[in-house]
Amino acid sequence: MGRWLILSLLVVIPAHTRGAAPPTRPEGKDEAATRGKKALLTKSYNPPTMAVSNRDNAWKNWGLKQKPDDFDQLFRERYGLHPAPYPNDGLPMGLRHAPMKFSAGKGLTTDCLLCHGGSVFGQSYVGLGNASLDMQSFYEEVVGGPRRTKPPFTFSNTRGTVEAGGMSVYLLGYREPDLSLRLTRRDLDLNDDLCEDVPAWWILHKKRTMYHNGGMDVRSSRSIMQFMMSPLNFASAFPHAEKDFEDIREFLVSLRAPKYPLAIDEDQAAKGEVVFRANCAKCHGTYGEKWTYPNKVIPLEEIGTDRRRFEGVTKKFGEAYDKSWFAKDYKSIYTDGYQAPPLDGIWATAPYLHNGSVPTLYNLLNSKTRPKVFTRSYATDGGDYDEKNVGWKVTVPTAVDAKKLTPLEYRKVYDTRKVGRSNGGHTYGDKLSEAERMAVIEYLKTL
Ligand code: HEC
Ligand code: HEC
């Protein structure tokens, strides 16, 4: 437990919510965004959680006798990491060399890009949610090192999703309201089965509230500093980094979605836009130069998607958060469901819904075709992309026996019958004709 407390890092916070003014970009924001990008891609905000050798020796945990020649690639594939599209000392996105806190030399730490750096068509993007990540194996085998220590809670139940909410609940339990460390942990209702899909950063600029439940004002830079709650950070680290995080937030809201890289049938897309405006725009907004975005949270009963993410982060955590340093400017907002996200770059962000339970847009818009149990390669090349249905190619495994599969293999199976993983709800596409549905999908590629 203690060891894992030291090794843990991170994260984000899902909280609850209140209305707010639309985001604007006054003068000086571009400079701030440039500083923020630099801070995000070059600085470390958590001291090293492991030695450099933990990564170099990871293969020893793979049942191999010697280090394979293509170790770097195998390392990325095993844990679902992607090459960094910026200078990073040869490390994939999410890992970073950093000076040791209590001794000379460098160690390794993780950063936001572990979860917020993804790839599609083999191209890495800062701000695309990492839908390949096996955070559990990464922690057990790399951070845990040769002893493969089990963490005190589950980092991920199924590959491509993370328990970011649980991490916040766990780590805030070790902090006083002023963020000084406590010796014993308060249980703020720790749940580690929320199965969260990581949202793309490029939709933030349209949002007034963020997180899947719309639980926080998008202007809060302190909220995204929750990832700094590594117990190696003293309370003083937070105010020290606050200016950087204001800049990082500016960088995040300056990001825009990448364009769909393949051909689009413009006639079909134009037909799809008409259908979209009639059936989808009231929740998801309109697109193009004069876009609109209603920033709506849809009650759980109405949207009907899995309730666990919503219910699993409780008021107890919200109250502790609201008393803490993080909430000085923006408190939790208590909502009643999930926010309908802007669909910019939606072609790149499969799987869909807040729990990643639906592999393609076609499945999303025709609910009876959603696979109950599925697995995929977790590679992100063109060959793994389902161009017709828009999303990831999946296969349906024949026999899924948790007892026969290793935990690592079992995490590759998305079983929608499990807690937090149901794929029901959001049936707004069901009433469309097949022609209308395909046209909407063509239109969605243009966003
Ligand atoms: C362990 C994975 C992980 C790490 C590391 C992480 N995040 Fe996140 N982030 C998430 C998840 C999951 C969500 C969605 C939370 C929810 O509502 O359930 C999220 C949500 C967000 C959002 C809101 C997005 C939206 O549209 O609602 C922002 C902004 C954000 N993270 C910024 C950061 C920053 C900045 C860092 C690093 C300082 C960071 N995150 C580190 C997983 C992570
Ligand atoms: C009543 C409001 C509402 C309507 C109407 C609606 N949606 Fe949604 N949509 C939502 C909400 C809320 C979510 C998030 C649900 C969740 O993640 O649990 C969502 C999620 C989605 C997602 C997945 C987003 C992601 O990042 O995973 C897509 C794609 C989408 N909707 C497309 C559509 C299309 C296309 C239509 C019209 C046929 C439509 N929606 C109609 C409210 C709506």
Side-chain angles (χ1 to χ4, degrees):
M1 208 65 173
R3 180 179 157 82
W4 263 99
L5 174 56
I6 301 297
L7 295 175
S8 52
L9 59 158
L10 347 230
V11 186
V12 174
I13 214 289
H16 321 262
T17 315
R18 161 183 42 112
T24 49
R25 288 180 60 74
E27 299 296 304
K29 296 287 177 186
D30 294 340
E31 290 80 355
T34 305
R35 285 195 305 270
K37 178 178 185 182
K38 190 167 170 215
L40 182 77
L41 301 184
T42 63
K43 285 187 166 186
S44 48
Y45 294 95
N46 281 309
T49 45
M50 64 198 124
V52 174
S53 60
N54 281 43
R55 186 191 95 95
D56 299 343
N57 293 331
W59 59 271
K60 292 184 181 169
N61 276 332
W62 303 351
L64 300 179
K65 295 236 155 48
Q66 58 178 38
K67 187 170 181 171
D69 290 339
D70 49 353
F71 172 73
D72 283 351
Q73 190 188 340
L74 292 176
F75 181 86
R76 287 197 305 266
E77 284 172 5
R78 185 171 179 102
Y79 306 114
L81 303 172
H82 311 277
Y86 50 88
N88 199 32
D89 277 351
L91 294 171
M93 282 193 283
L95 282 182
R96 177 184 301 285
H97 289 130
M100 297 295 272
K101 185 152 180 176
F102 300 112
S103 59
K106 286 193 165 185
L108 275 181
T109 188
T110 51
D111 60 34
C112 316
L113 283 309
L114 189 69
C115 301
H116 288 283
S119 79
V120 59
F121 283 104
Q123 167 80 47
S124 295
Y125 295 97
V126 168
L128 169 59
N130 186 356
S132 303
L133 183 65
D134 182 353
M135 187 143 176
Q136 187 70 20
S137 299
F138 178 79
Y139 263 77
E140 288 180 12
E141 298 180 358
V142 188
V143 185
R147 286 165 52 201
R148 303 181 62 135
T149 324
K150 280 257 186 280
F153 62 90
T154 306
F155 282 104
S156 88
N157 292 284
T158 172
R159 194 166 168 177
T161 67
V162 284
E163 296 302 327
M167 290 171 216
S168 280
V169 171
Y170 181 80
L171 292 171
L172 190 66
Y174 274 109
R175 301 273 173 176
E176 298 291 355
D178 68 356
L179 301 190
S180 55
L181 281 158
R182 296 165 53 94
L183 288 175
T184 52
R185 186 172 68 87
R186 280 176 302 165
D187 182 16
L188 303 174
D189 292 347
L190 177 63
N191 291 306
D192 56 5
D193 52 10
L194 314 184
C195 276
E196 297 156 88
D197 180 57
V198 183
W201 277 341
W202 60 65
I203 60 176
L204 269 183
H205 75 283
K206 289 188 169 177
K207 292 174 138 186
R208 290 193 304 272
T209 53
M210 60 181 178
Y211 301 136
H212 289 307
N213 60 344
M216 182 51 56
D217 192 302
V218 80
R219 293 170 299 181
S220 173
S221 35
R222 287 195 178 190
S223 179
I224 53 177
M225 294 179 74
Q226 287 175 91
F227 102 105
M228 285 181 58
M229 284 194 284
S230 157
L232 293 171
N233 271 333
F234 299 132
S236 58
F238 295 84
H240 189 74
E242 186 169 11
K243 183 74 192 56
D244 279 6
F245 272 81
E246 285 166 10
D247 292 341
I248 288 173
R249 207 202 71 86
E250 281 306 330
F251 172 61
L252 305 189
V253 298
S254 76
L255 290 168
R256 295 296 179 271
K259 295 254 172 294
Y260 184 71
L262 309 178
I264 295 177
D265 180 335
E266 300 295 342
D267 291 345
Q268 270 282 83
K271 283 183 201 144
E273 179 169 6
V274 177
V275 182
F276 185 89
R277 281 185 179 257
N279 293 280
C280 323
K282 68 170 178 182
C283 293
H284 292 289
T286 57
Y287 298 79
E289 211 127 285
K290 294 203 175 111
W291 56 267
T292 57
Y293 175 62
N295 207 91
K296 271 192 193 160
V297 170
I298 309 301
L300 281 189
E301 285 65 36
E302 191 180 334
I303 189 72
T305 53
D306 194 280
R307 307 171 69 91
R308 189 66 182 152
R309 158 64 185 86
F310 183 87
E311 292 172 344
V313 180
T314 70
K315 218 170 167 172
K316 195 164 173 189
F317 173 80
E319 284 165 2
Y321 178 89
D322 287 345
K323 285 195 196 117
S324 78
W325 179 89
F326 292 121
K328 184 178 143 272
D329 295 328
Y330 302 101
K331 300 220 182 310
S332 309
I333 309 170
Y334 291 86
T335 69
D336 56 1
Y338 296 118
Q339 182 162 338
L343 301 177
D344 305 71
I346 195 72
W347 65 268
T349 63
Y352 299 105
L353 296 181
H354 72 274
N355 60 358
S357 58
V358 179
T360 67
L361 287 178
Y362 183 84
N363 296 145
L364 184 76
L365 297 178
N366 188 358
S367 67
K368 66 178 186 301
T369 68
R370 295 177 191 168
K372 276 200 179 55
V373 182
F374 59 89
T375 185
R376 60 191 176 101
S377 70
Y378 295 94
T380 60
D381 303 329
D384 300 276
Y385 191 86
D386 183 340
E387 290 167 28
K388 182 162 170 285
N389 300 309
V390 183
W392 295 118
K393 282 183 186 160
V394 296
T395 52
V396 175
T398 40
V400 182
D401 186 345
K403 288 187 209 81
K404 289 205 187 107
L405 294 172
T406 62
L408 180 139
E409 291 297 327
Y410 185 60
R411 272 192 295 279
K412 293 183 184 170
V413 177
Y414 198 112
D415 186 341
T416 63
R417 296 163 303 190
K418 295 281 192 285
V419 180
R421 280 171 256 180
S422 82
N423 63 357
H426 196 290
T427 50
Y428 310 107
D430 288 0
K431 59 176 182 289
L432 304 179
S433 71
E434 190 69 3
E436 288 173 325
R437 190 174 292 127
M438 293 320 289
V440 169
I441 292 174
E442 204 62 20
Y443 173 63
L444 292 174
K445 293 178 188 169
T446 69
L447 307 185

